Amino acid sequence: MTVVEPLPVRPPETAAEILARAQALAPVLRDRAEEIERARRLPADVVDLLRGTGVFRMGFCRAHGGPELTSIEQTEVIEALAYGDAGAGWCAMIGSDTGLYASFLDHAVAEEMFPSLDMATAGLLFPNGRAEIVPGGYRLTGRWQFGSGVTHADWVVSGAFLYRDGEPEHDSILLMVPKADVEVLDTWHTTGLAGSGSCDYAITDVFVPAEHTLTFAEVRGGSGPLAQPEVHMRNMPGVALGVTRAALDHATDTAVAAGREDDYRTQTTIAECEGDFTAAREGVYGALRRQHEVLSAGGTLDDLTPRERAALPLSRRHAFRTARAIVTRLYDLVQTSAIYRPSPLDRWLRDTTTMCQHIVAQDRILQTAGAHLLGGRPAFPLALGITSSRR
């Protein structure tokens, strides 16, 4: 078993520090990947190790005392953690949204809600719940799926349709609730990503103060590149890229150990997969770099060309789909030894299959990007950072 030195107590202050801690933790996560999968959630000490890397604080802006990592830097951190374990990387990606949500809350409210920058948030943003408007806020009731990390979260954010006096308002909102007010339902029995603990959860008639709600159409406590409506989707490809890099390294090491370095099929398969990985990774980071260039100069998402804006969701989808394709080819390359658990290729095959069912990897993204390029109506406009109903 890999021995890791205790992480420093001092919170990390820079992107380089957070990335270094994530890279140092990756071998530990790899050693514990089978345990994490069996548990179908992250063990408490693994959550503590993730907190120690600073991954949960990386989205907090400097005005909140956070390190304010760029979306590029955040993706690199998630990639490093997913290299160790897909479930841990997925939970880190979801939990790190806390600081990003803070920009859509009043600054003073966020300061009160998040006394520590290392608090994790989970939840489903689609409006599956019902929020009845009452004096001072809302009464929230509902059941949501895919609460990745909900078993260890500090806050749970959920989408809900608005109701007034029992009648629908034909609008929705996001509501943040302390984990103590949430019932976790043990439903997470899946093909892969078992360690993410993405259980269903229920909230029953819980009062949510108005100040604990948000919409991505209104930035209330931040500015700059991270105070944008689609910011929570940007670092998602880090999970797919980290798993793919791990699978490529494993398959390469396995081939060399077996003396197949001069085998034609092995050479061409590894080379083809490396080429596809390099292209997919550069697609992600190239789109992020261009976005950051425009936003950091004071521009908006509307200042991107249609192709540049479409490149953001398309590169995300492509990274997930390419991850699954590469892992499948490597699984076939390794052949029979890949089928025995706990073969990491078996786990990565199931993990990439499962993560490709997320909306960011679905054909709805193709329609959305295509509609944007053609001047049509996108099915999932938030993927483009569009929060209004305009075309």
Side-chain angles (χ1 to χ4, degrees):
M1 178 173 287
T2 302
V3 177
V4 64
E5 294 296 324
L7 290 170
V9 175
R10 179 184 61 79
E13 298 176 353
T14 68
E17 287 181 285
I18 295 175
L19 180 58
R21 293 190 188 191
Q23 291 170 333
L25 183 58
V28 180
L29 297 175
R30 180 73 59 82
D31 280 350
R32 299 189 62 180
E34 185 182 0
E35 172 196 352
I36 290 170
E37 183 174 51
R38 284 199 311 268
R40 294 184 298 109
R41 63 190 61 194
L42 298 188
D45 67 315
V46 171
V47 176
D48 289 339
L49 289 171
L50 286 177
R51 288 190 204 275
T53 67
V55 66
F56 295 146
R57 65 171 48 218
M58 66 182 181
F60 277 99
C61 66
R62 293 185 181 88
H64 283 287
E68 195 173 329
L69 271 63
T70 68
S71 296
I72 300 161
E73 293 164 338
Q74 292 178 36
T75 306
E76 290 172 336
V77 171
I78 299 303
E79 191 176 1
L81 292 169
Y83 184 84
D85 178 69
W90 192 271
C91 286
M93 176 267 294
I94 295 291
S96 69
D97 287 342
T98 306
L100 305 180
Y101 295 137
S103 293
F104 299 90
L105 300 165
D106 288 337
H107 183 86
V109 172
E111 294 273 297
E112 179 185 357
M113 291 174 65
F114 312 127
S116 166
L117 300 184
D118 297 309
M119 300 176 77
T121 298
L124 183 72
L125 303 183
F126 289 104
N128 285 7
R130 174 175 177 146
E132 182 74 28
I133 300 171
V134 296
Y138 308 86
R139 305 294 308 190
L140 177 61
T141 296
R143 175 170 173 162
W144 294 261
Q145 289 182 295
F146 311 119
S148 303
V150 71
T151 56
H152 61 257
D154 301 289
W155 286 88
V156 177
V157 59
S158 306
F161 287 108
L162 293 177
Y163 283 75
R164 188 185 301 272
D165 299 325
E167 297 297 323
E169 289 276 290
H170 305 293
D171 203 357
S172 64
I173 198 169
L174 298 172
L175 306 95
M176 300 197 73
V177 171
K179 166 66 181 310
D181 292 331
V182 176
E183 178 188 5
V184 177
L185 307 170
D186 190 10
T187 57
W188 193 240
H189 299 270
T190 56
T191 302
L193 277 184
S196 68
S198 304
C199 298
D200 290 12
Y201 64 94
I203 298 173
T204 305
D205 196 32
V206 171
F207 175 71
V208 183
E211 58 268 26
H212 288 185
T213 68
L214 62 119
T215 70
F216 291 124
E218 182 183 6
V219 176
R220 286 146 57 184
S223 61
L226 297 185
Q228 306 290 331
E230 42 60 80
V231 66
H232 58 288
M233 289 183 272
R234 293 182 197 165
N235 62 26
M236 293 185 73
V239 182
L241 294 173
V243 171
T244 310
R245 182 70 265 165
L248 274 163
D249 289 351
H250 173 79
T252 301
D253 292 344
T254 299
V256 171
R260 296 203 308 272
E261 58 267 33
D262 288 323
D263 175 70
Y264 179 82
R265 175 174 178 251
T266 300
Q267 292 169 339
T268 55
T269 300
I270 292 293
E272 184 180 42
C273 290
E274 283 284 355
D276 288 349
F277 173 76
T278 299
R281 189 174 189 273
E282 180 54 33
V284 168
Y285 284 104
L288 287 174
R289 283 194 296 268
R290 177 56 184 155
Q291 181 191 54
H292 182 74
E293 179 182 308
V294 170
L295 296 178
S296 61
T300 69
L301 293 174
D302 290 334
D303 292 316
L304 294 168
T305 68
R307 287 179 179 175
E308 288 170 342
R309 198 160 182 175
L312 293 157
L314 287 176
S315 65
R316 279 194 293 269
R317 179 188 181 276
H318 185 65
F320 279 98
R321 293 297 185 95
T322 301
R324 181 172 65 181
I326 289 175
V327 170
T328 300
R329 276 178 280 170
L330 297 176
Y331 185 89
D332 289 343
L333 177 67
V334 173
Q335 299 180 2
T336 53
S337 64
I339 70 175
Y340 292 98
R341 297 187 184 184
S343 162
L345 276 171
D346 167 74
R347 185 168 56 251
W348 291 324
L349 182 70
R350 290 181 286 105
D351 288 342
T352 54
T353 297
T354 298
M355 67 179 72
C356 276
Q357 306 315 306
H358 194 282
I359 188 172
V360 300
Q362 291 295 302
D363 287 348
R364 193 174 177 186
I365 298 301
L366 293 179
Q367 186 280 331
T368 293
H372 184 65
L373 291 169
L374 294 167
R377 189 179 300 278
F380 185 32
L382 187 59
L384 296 161
I386 298 172
T387 57
S388 69
S389 59
R390 64 177 175 81
R391 294 176 69 173

